[in-house]
Amino acid sequence: DAGITQSPRHKVTETGTPVTLRCHQTENHRYMYWYRQDPGHGLRLIHYSYGVKDTDKGEVSDGYSVSRSKTEDFLLTLESATSSQTSVYFCAISRDREYEQYFGPGTRLTVT
Amino acid sequence: GNSVTQMEGPVTLSEEAFLTINCTYTATGYPSLFWYVQYPGEGLQLLLKATKADDKGSNKGFEATYRKETTSFHLEKGSVQVSDSAVYFCALSYSGGTSYGKLTFGQGTILTVHP
């Protein structure tokens, strides 16, 4: 199994509070991705990174920001959480863009 | 833009039945195609992949063939087991241009296999 961990695994937070989710990899892969999973939508890309300090937006990036200061860590921040951001968040890594992606175990976030 | 359409679920089968989950796609260029599986409470695992037309991906008894003429990548298994119960996702990745290998997913198909 690819060495990917996500923290926390579960979180409940209140509307308006900031939240940061962490993805950590031990594979030294260049690409990292954040997806959210919602019923009926499959997985949708939020942001991705193609190197340290190199990030770009995905299809559902509004309300989210990311940072990557080290190869192994990719942080997803909800600056002011809303109920519509209640979801399961998955991190994925890939050696390069033409290779398959490997997924972390997910973080279940509930915004009340 | 790129898109993936999977057959509506849920799919319920008896053990040892034949499985087909349909997947069709729309994409520019020549994407790579994937099937991922998600067991309850877990992340997604890569099941199989195909990177060019007529390629057949296979793993754990599952197969899918990349059909460019019909833009399809249907998942099949000849004899399902209870342990195959999971959610199956079809996805495509296009590494050209500025796409950076982003995956586009179908909505997922829930499979339940009864003894």
Side-chain angles (χ1 to χ4, degrees):
Chain A
D1 291 343
I4 312 169
T5 56
Q6 293 184 232
S7 58
R9 294 293 313 279
H10 302 271
K11 186 171 182 65
V12 179
T13 192
E14 294 185 347
T15 297
T17 59
V19 176
T20 295
L21 309 183
R22 180 183 184 232
C23 176
H24 178 78
Q25 59 143 330
T26 58
E27 305 295 323
N28 199 36
H29 282 357
R30 180 184 173 194
Y31 285 77
M32 298 185 76
Y33 306 83
W34 277 108
Y35 294 88
R36 60 178 287 175
Q37 183 180 24
D38 304 290
H41 290 280
L43 277 76
R44 293 177 292 174
L45 182 66
I46 304 171
H47 282 280
Y48 63 97
S49 170
Y50 47 98
V52 173
K53 293 185 169 47
D54 292 323
T55 64
D56 205 351
K57 296 178 180 180
E59 61 183 304
V60 290
S61 59
D62 288 347
Y64 302 94
S65 62
V66 291
S67 66
R68 192 170 178 199
S69 58
K70 299 184 289 185
T71 298
E72 58 266 34
D73 289 326
F74 192 33
L75 304 180
L76 176 71
T77 297
L78 291 65
E79 301 290 348
S80 178
T82 67
S83 58
S84 65
Q85 294 175 312
T86 292
S87 187
V88 181
Y89 292 86
F90 287 99
C91 173
I93 65 173
S94 178
R95 187 189 312 173
D96 210 327
R97 63 183 188 180
E98 63 267 24
Y99 289 87
E100 58 268 26
Q101 294 180 25
Y102 295 95
F103 285 78
T107 294
R108 183 174 295 276
L109 176 67
T110 302
V111 183
T112 61
Chain B
N2 298 335
S3 67
V4 176
T5 302
Q6 288 181 236
M7 65 183 288
E8 293 286 334
V11 174
T12 302
L13 296 173
S14 297
E15 206 165 26
E16 299 184 4
F18 184 85
L19 169 70
T20 299
I21 301 178
N22 291 336
C23 171
T24 56
Y25 68 90
T26 303
T28 55
Y30 301 94
S32 295
L33 301 173
F34 305 88
W35 277 100
Y36 282 86
V37 59
Q38 184 179 31
Y39 298 103
E42 299 184 10
L44 277 73
Q45 301 176 25
L46 178 64
L47 182 59
L48 54 84
K49 67 175 183 179
T51 58
K52 60 183 187 295
D54 299 325
D55 267 3
K56 177 185 283 187
S58 61
N59 186 28
K60 299 181 181 179
F62 291 89
E63 293 184 340
T65 301
Y66 188 162
R67 301 287 189 198
K68 187 167 176 60
E69 63 276 13
T70 55
T71 62
S72 64
F73 192 55
H74 304 322
L75 182 68
E76 297 181 336
K77 186 175 185 183
S79 177
V80 294
Q81 305 301 312
V82 172
S83 58
D84 293 326
S85 298
V87 183
Y88 292 81
F89 292 94
C90 185
L92 70 81
S93 173
Y94 177 56
S95 61
T98 60
S99 65
Y100 293 106
K102 292 173 285 186
L103 282 170
T104 299
F105 285 89
Q107 71 270 36
T109 301
I110 299 171
L111 171 66
T112 302
V113 180
H114 292 299

